[in-house]
Amino acid sequence: QVQLVDSGGGLVQPGGSLRLSCAASGSISSISSMGWYRQAPGKQRELVATITSGGSTNYADSVKGRFTISRDNAKTTMYLQMSSLEPEDTAVYYCNAHGVTKSGVVTSYWGQGTQVTVSS
């Protein structure tokens, strides 16, 4: 079992920055990759960025060069550093993790979501 708690959202002005955090607890060793998704009103949930257990990262084209995904050495916390924020970045951001248990069960975990609003 893995529990995810995401936080760090808020209201920022265009061009501003925010850092989102995702704290993981439980069977941390079972996590193979983590990522951030976002969903704007009336839009489908989309993948923003991912990071594997080996540190490989991928980003959506819309955030490349502006967002950075990372994790701490213990792999208990994942971050999304967001800079040069635009109104189009306004969405609820969700922490996500994929993992495989010792028994071979593949599962996905989600944080509760944190609201990011970019507005002047």
Side-chain angles (χ1 to χ4, degrees):
Q1 60 182 200
V2 174
Q3 298 81 43
L4 303 176
V5 178
D6 41 26
S7 61
L11 174 64
V12 297
Q13 296 181 349
S17 299
L18 278 177
R19 188 178 75 164
L20 305 183
S21 298
C22 175
S25 61
S27 301
I28 306 301
S29 61
S30 70
I31 298 175
S32 60
S33 65
M34 300 184 72
W36 291 93
Y37 287 73
R38 68 184 182 186
Q39 186 168 26
K43 304 292 185 179
Q44 296 291 320
R45 185 173 298 185
E46 64 175 344
L47 181 64
V48 177
T50 61
I51 184 167
T52 69
S53 59
S56 178
T57 60
N58 283 283
Y59 298 90
D61 289 341
S62 59
V63 306
K64 286 181 179 178
R66 300 188 298 119
F67 291 10
T68 301
I69 188 171
S70 63
R71 66 175 188 272
D72 62 10
N73 291 332
K75 300 181 181 180
T76 56
T77 306
M78 178 182 65
Y79 305 95
L80 184 68
Q81 179 65 52
M82 306 183 294
S83 61
S84 301
L85 284 164
E86 305 168 354
E88 292 74 21
D89 296 316
T90 296
V92 177
Y93 285 70
Y94 297 90
C95 174
N96 170 261
H98 295 287
V100 181
T101 67
K102 297 295 184 180
S103 59
V105 178
V106 180
T107 189
S108 181
Y109 307 93
W110 293 92
Q112 79 284 357
T114 183
Q115 176 72 50
V116 173
T117 302
V118 185
S119 176
S120 59

